[in-house]
């Protein structure tokens, strides 16, 4: 039995169900966010046409002006299913990453709760940071492929060629391109998210004088905590997107293709110089529209299944008679049997 009152299998079900629902709901918003962020790279290098891996060169691409505009233009020009581009690698990435993330967080939170950091409210921060580092390191190569699929309409054959070219030119570690910006985005996000969520959770439980958080309050707390964390860490998400869409440029047939900055700081400085602070917060609407409901769906479904399985396990434990109760039931039976034996002996003597 796990420390939170549920088994390992139940832990996997609780964390993976929400991950799948979240992926189906938020993938179109993720595509919109990537398109808005990737086009800002053009502004960072004025006078240059956007790079298109499909035609192995630079072609004019539609200019997106907002979330709704991007949804309409992508669906109209590339097909509705393009809004779910990268869904297979998203599911492959999300389910195991979520299981690893939530399981690690629960274990670390339990261990750290026994330390002196409990009094300062630092347990969710430390546990969230360490759990996120583990998850990001495992799924970073898959996220690189997903981001490239979402940046423009590509097939998996092209992505495979791009991956092979990248590994051949830069080594196996190139598959973790964008790991640094991802860590800079996800670790602070995780710290901010869990700190606020656990704070909201304690407030609700104290007010309701309950040990279980209702689903509706878990949903609201997750959405609020996710919004705060998502807006705060958006600049690192923009940089991560730029780093990962560089993957396709290695296959360009034109030798004069420009070289993107390869450091997080260089990209941030370039974007800020050309478009100001606005460039570092491009895609804020689709990011919040994605992060808030995804955090809400994920944590509320996780809390729901945890509570459900915990009650189920407790009910099964109550239905099984304890060793003490079994002995108490056996004593009258044994006593009656002994009395019958004594009566038989007396009859035999007479």
């Amino acid at each position: 039995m796990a420390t939170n009152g549920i088994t390992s299998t139940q832990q996997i079900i609780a964390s993976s169900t929400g991950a799948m629902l979240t992926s189906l709901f938020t993938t179109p918003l993720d595509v919109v966010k990537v398109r808005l962020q990737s086009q800002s790279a053009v502004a960072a290098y004025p006078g240059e046409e956007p790079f298109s891996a499909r035609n192995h060169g630079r072609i004019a691409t539609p200019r997106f002006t907002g979330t709704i505009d991007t949804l309409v233009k992508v669906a109209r020009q590339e097909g509705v299913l393009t809004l779910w581009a990268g869904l297979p690698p998203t599911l492959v990435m999300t389910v195991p990453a979520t299981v690893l993330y939530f399981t690690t967080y629960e274990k670390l939170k339990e261990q750290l709760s026994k330390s002196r950091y409990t009094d300062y409210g630092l347990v969710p921060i430390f546990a969230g940071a360490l759990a996120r580092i583990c998850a990001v390191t495992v799924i970073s190569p898959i996220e690189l492929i997903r981001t490239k699929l979402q940046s423009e309409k590509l097939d998996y054959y092209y992505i495979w060629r791009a991956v092979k070219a990248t590994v051949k030119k830069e080594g196996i570690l190139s598959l973790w391109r964008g790991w640094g910006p991802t860590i800079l985005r996800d670790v602070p996000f995780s710290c901010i998210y869990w700190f606020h969520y656990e704070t909201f959770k304690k407030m609700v439980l104290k007010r309701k004088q309950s040990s279980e958080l209702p689903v509706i309050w878990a949903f609201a707390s997750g959405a609020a905590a996710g919004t705060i964390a998502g807006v705060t860490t958006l600049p690192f998400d923009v940089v991560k997107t730029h780093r990962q869409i560089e993957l396709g440029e290695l296959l360009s047939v034109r030798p004069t293709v420009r070289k993107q900055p390869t450091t997080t700081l260089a990209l941030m400085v370039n974007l800020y110089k050309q478009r100001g602070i606005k460039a570092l917060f491009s895609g804020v609407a689709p990011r919040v529209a994605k992060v808030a409901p995804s955090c809400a769906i994920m944590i509320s479904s996780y809390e729901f299944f945890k509570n459900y399985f915990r009650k189920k396990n407790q009910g099964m434990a109550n239905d099984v008679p304890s060793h003490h109760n079994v002995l108490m039931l056996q004593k009258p039976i044994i006593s009656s049997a002994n009395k019958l034996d004594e009566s038989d002996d007396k009859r035999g003597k007479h």
Side-chain angles (χ1 to χ4, degrees):
M1 186 71 67
T3 54
N4 56 7
I6 61 177
T7 65
S8 298
T9 301
Q10 292 168 343
Q11 176 86 33
I12 292 173
I13 295 172
S15 54
S16 61
T17 302
M20 289 186 286
L21 293 173
T22 301
S23 297
L24 291 171
F25 177 77
T26 60
T27 295
L29 296 171
D30 209 22
V31 171
V32 170
K33 182 202 68 171
V34 170
R35 294 298 180 97
L36 288 171
Q37 290 178 352
S38 60
Q39 77 174 1
S40 65
V42 181
Y45 296 87
E48 297 196 20
E49 291 294 323
F51 179 83
S52 173
R54 281 183 293 163
N55 295 334
H56 302 283
R58 301 179 188 283
I59 62 170
T61 57
R63 189 71 182 174
F64 305 120
T65 58
T67 303
I68 302 299
D69 179 67
T70 307
L71 282 169
V72 172
K73 286 181 178 178
V74 170
R76 182 184 299 164
Q77 298 185 19
E78 303 178 27
V80 175
L81 291 180
T82 304
L83 294 173
W84 278 269
L87 181 59
T90 296
L91 292 174
V92 171
M93 175 185 71
T94 301
V95 174
T98 303
V99 171
L100 174 64
Y101 178 50
F102 275 78
T103 302
T104 305
Y105 175 78
E106 292 282 3
K107 294 290 185 182
L108 289 171
K109 186 175 75 169
E110 185 210 357
Q111 294 298 320
L112 291 172
S113 295
K114 303 173 184 177
S115 67
R116 56 194 174 101
Y117 300 110
T118 305
D119 298 332
Y120 304 99
L122 299 177
V123 169
I125 296 176
F126 289 153
L130 294 173
R132 179 56 70 183
I133 290 173
C134 293
V136 167
T137 303
V138 171
I139 55 88
S140 189
I142 304 175
E143 186 174 13
L144 182 146
I145 294 172
R146 183 196 65 164
T147 302
K148 188 59 186 175
L149 282 168
Q150 292 176 339
S151 66
E152 53 184 312
K153 191 175 182 180
L154 301 170
D155 56 34
Y156 286 96
Y157 175 70
Y158 169 81
I159 293 295
W160 173 243
R161 288 177 59 213
V163 169
K164 286 176 64 177
T166 302
V167 173
K168 185 177 180 180
K169 184 176 181 179
E170 301 180 17
I172 190 68
L173 291 180
S174 62
L175 294 179
W176 277 264
R177 180 191 299 272
W179 182 88
T182 303
I183 289 293
L184 289 175
R185 178 199 67 178
D186 285 3
V187 171
F189 179 96
S190 190
C191 294
I192 296 169
Y193 171 78
W194 283 114
F195 174 78
H196 284 90
Y197 176 74
E198 295 290 356
T199 301
F200 296 151
K201 182 178 179 178
K202 286 181 180 179
M203 290 171 59
V204 174
L205 293 178
K206 184 177 181 180
R207 183 177 179 180
K208 291 187 170 293
Q209 296 182 345
S210 173
S211 60
E212 292 184 1
L213 187 66
V215 173
I216 187 65
W217 282 106
F219 189 93
S221 300
T227 300
I228 296 170
V231 174
T232 305
T233 59
L234 182 59
F236 297 113
D237 186 54
V238 173
V239 173
K240 177 202 72 89
T241 299
H242 283 222
R243 292 290 307 278
Q244 292 182 329
I245 62 176
E246 294 174 17
L247 178 66
E249 298 199 0
L250 291 172
L251 293 182
S252 174
V253 296
R254 295 176 57 180
T256 57
V257 172
R258 61 174 165 80
K259 181 72 174 177
Q260 292 271 10
T262 57
T263 66
T264 299
L265 182 60
L267 273 170
M268 294 183 77
V269 170
N270 244 316
L271 290 169
Y272 180 75
K273 283 181 178 178
Q274 298 299 329
R275 294 183 59 195
I277 196 68
K278 181 180 178 181
L280 297 175
F281 286 89
S282 60
V284 63
R287 176 157 170 80
V288 171
K290 174 199 171 185
V291 168
S294 64
C295 288
I297 293 170
M298 182 66 242
I299 198 65
S300 59
S301 62
Y302 181 67
E303 293 283 3
F304 171 80
F305 281 106
K306 272 205 313 180
N307 293 336
Y308 170 77
F309 286 129
R310 189 181 293 115
K311 289 179 180 178
K312 183 179 179 181
N313 293 339
Q314 289 174 351
M316 292 175 63
N318 293 334
D319 289 340
V320 178
S322 65
H323 181 66
H324 174 73
N325 291 337
V326 170
L327 290 177
M328 292 299 291
L329 288 171
Q330 287 178 343
K331 282 182 179 180
I333 298 174
I334 295 172
S335 179
S336 299
N338 290 337
K339 288 180 179 180
L340 288 173
D341 290 340
E342 290 176 0
S343 299
D344 290 341
D345 290 342
K346 290 179 179 179
R347 289 172 185 171
K349 289 180 180 179
H350 291 295

